[in-house]
């Protein structure tokens, strides 16, 4: 099976990778379904929404500051490093991620398409200005823009639309992919989950890497049931040299 993965990567003309929260799990960043200590009693669907932010921006910001703290102190794992290496070798056309962390970039990946935004930026709800986040804000007080408007994390919340430009680029990449590797995503959040379907519609090959079965598994050409880091590094010889 891993031989097949290797062969697919080697013969691919336009290889893309789609990643989800599972790829960062090995860096110690919990997936939403993982559940974790302090915030265990909240469901992400209750905090990562525009309604929650209008109602109680302080609680939403405290949750994001905690997530930023974890993400910023985490290190890229072999999966991030392996995908970066594929790009460096000229084998990867595009890396598309649902993750809001910056571990792909810190592993060396360039031009990553962040479908769901990034924790490295805040956005003003009044004027739309974007401001880089170097360290998590200490809340309270709530972070505010120079215009006086409230700043929010520059991520896509439940019920919000993805950036049309980023989405268009991702679909263009999917339609041109003869091979797409889908790693660490439960493949239930659309439109991201439609990208592999777009690849199939154009006759491409979809390879899933996930320790568990997902709704994508039945239509994937190859399902590799193991953690992404292990699949990418050890078996493809893409570990750090
Ligand atoms: P998800 O829908 O991407 O599901 C996680 C998947 O990863 C599961 O199917 C699980 O079986 C799999 N997985 C777990 N460990 C793995 C490993 N080592 N290798 C490969 N696969 C592994 O993620 P979610 O938690 O349901 O979150 C949905 C959305 O929430 C994401 O699309 C993202 O926008 C956001 N989110 C982002 C981060 C992050 O940036 N790191 C973390 C949590 C949630
Ligand atoms: Zn502003």
């Amino acid at each position: 099976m891993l031989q097949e993965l290797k062969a697919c990567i080697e013969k691919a003309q336009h290889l893309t990778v789609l990643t989800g929260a599972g790829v960062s799990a090995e860096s110690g960043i919990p997936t939403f379904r993982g559940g974790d200590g302090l915030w265990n009693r909240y469901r992400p669907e209750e905090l990562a929404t525009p309604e929650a932010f209008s109602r109680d921006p302080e609680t939403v910001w405290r949750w994001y500051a905690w997530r930023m703290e974890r993400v910023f102190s985490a290190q890229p794992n072999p999966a991030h490093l392996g995908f970066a290496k594929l790009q460096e070798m000229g084998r990867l056309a595009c890396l598309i991620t649902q993750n809001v962390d910056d571990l792909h970039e810190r592993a060396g990946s360039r031009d990553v398409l962040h479908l769901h935004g990034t924790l490295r930026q805040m956005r003003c709800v009044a004027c739309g200005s974007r401001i880089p986040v170097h360290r998590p804000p200490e809340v309270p007080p709530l972070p505010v823009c120079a215009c006086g408007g409230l700043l929010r994390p520059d991520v896509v919340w439940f019920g919000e639309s993805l950036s049309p430009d980023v989405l268009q680029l991702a679909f263009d990449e999917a339609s041109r992919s003869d091979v797409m590797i889908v790693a660490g995503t439960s493949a239930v959040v659309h439109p991201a989950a439609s990208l592999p379907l777009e690849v199939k519609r154009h006759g491409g090959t979809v390879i899933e890497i996930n320790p568990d079965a997902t709704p994508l598994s039945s239509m994937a050409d190859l399902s590799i049931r193991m953690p992404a880091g292990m699949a990418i590094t050890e078996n493809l010889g893409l570990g750090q040299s």
Side-chain angles (χ1 to χ4, degrees):
M1 202 185 265
L2 288 156
Q3 246 56 42
E4 270 182 79
L5 171 63
K6 195 169 182 170
C8 279
I9 290 177
E10 273 164 9
K11 74 169 191 341
Q13 296 296 310
H14 196 94
L15 172 70
T16 50
V17 169
L18 171 65
T19 64
V23 154
S24 295
E26 291 168 74
S27 293
I29 301 174
T31 63
F32 275 174
R33 319 224 193 283
D36 198 85
L38 182 61
W39 293 98
N40 223 354
R41 61 207 161 94
Y42 293 93
R43 295 188 314 132
E45 293 85 341
E46 289 165 5
L47 291 172
T49 68
E51 293 77 23
F53 191 68
S54 330
R55 199 171 49 235
D56 184 0
E58 192 172 314
T59 300
V60 173
W61 254 121
R62 283 198 298 120
W63 183 57
Y64 271 95
W66 169 79
R67 289 184 64 196
M68 285 171 174
E69 196 83 56
R70 289 197 73 147
V71 163
F72 298 171
S73 59
Q75 296 305 318
N77 67 53
H80 300 109
L81 295 165
F83 291 135
K85 192 141 180 184
L86 269 182
Q87 190 175 34
E88 190 190 305
M89 292 160 65
R91 306 222 56 101
L92 183 66
C94 185
L95 177 60
I96 306 167
T97 188
Q98 300 170 81
N99 294 344
V100 294
D101 66 50
D102 59 350
L103 293 175
H104 284 304
E105 282 88 350
R106 283 201 273 135
S109 287
R110 286 164 285 108
D111 305 323
V112 180
L113 288 182
H114 278 273
L115 294 173
H116 296 163
T118 169
L119 293 177
R120 282 290 182 185
Q121 250 170 220
M122 302 186 280
R123 189 173 83 234
C124 175
V125 297
C127 73
S129 296
R130 289 187 158 85
I131 293 166
V133 176
H134 300 296
R135 65 190 70 83
E138 282 182 34
V139 181
L142 290 169
V144 286
C145 176
C147 81
L150 212 51
L151 290 167
R152 58 165 277 182
D154 193 14
V155 299
V156 179
W157 281 332
F158 290 99
E160 292 185 320
S161 301
L162 280 65
S163 150
D165 294 347
V166 175
L167 195 57
Q168 185 62 52
L169 285 170
F171 269 89
D172 288 348
E173 286 294 334
S175 62
R176 293 169 63 200
S177 301
D178 56 346
V179 181
M180 177 181 268
I181 298 174
V182 182
T185 172
S186 55
V188 289
V189 183
H190 286 271
S194 307
L195 291 168
L197 308 181
E198 183 75 357
V199 175
K200 291 296 292 178
R201 218 164 59 80
H202 286 82
T205 299
V206 170
I207 302 168
E208 177 177 58
I209 305 176
N210 195 316
D212 295 326
T214 74
L216 182 67
S217 305
S218 59
M219 52 80 62
D221 298 279
L222 186 60
S223 276
I224 298 172
R225 296 256 174 276
M226 60 168 70
M230 197 187 289
I232 295 301
T233 320
E234 288 178 20
N235 300 286
L236 294 179
L238 290 173
Q240 272 180 302
S241 45

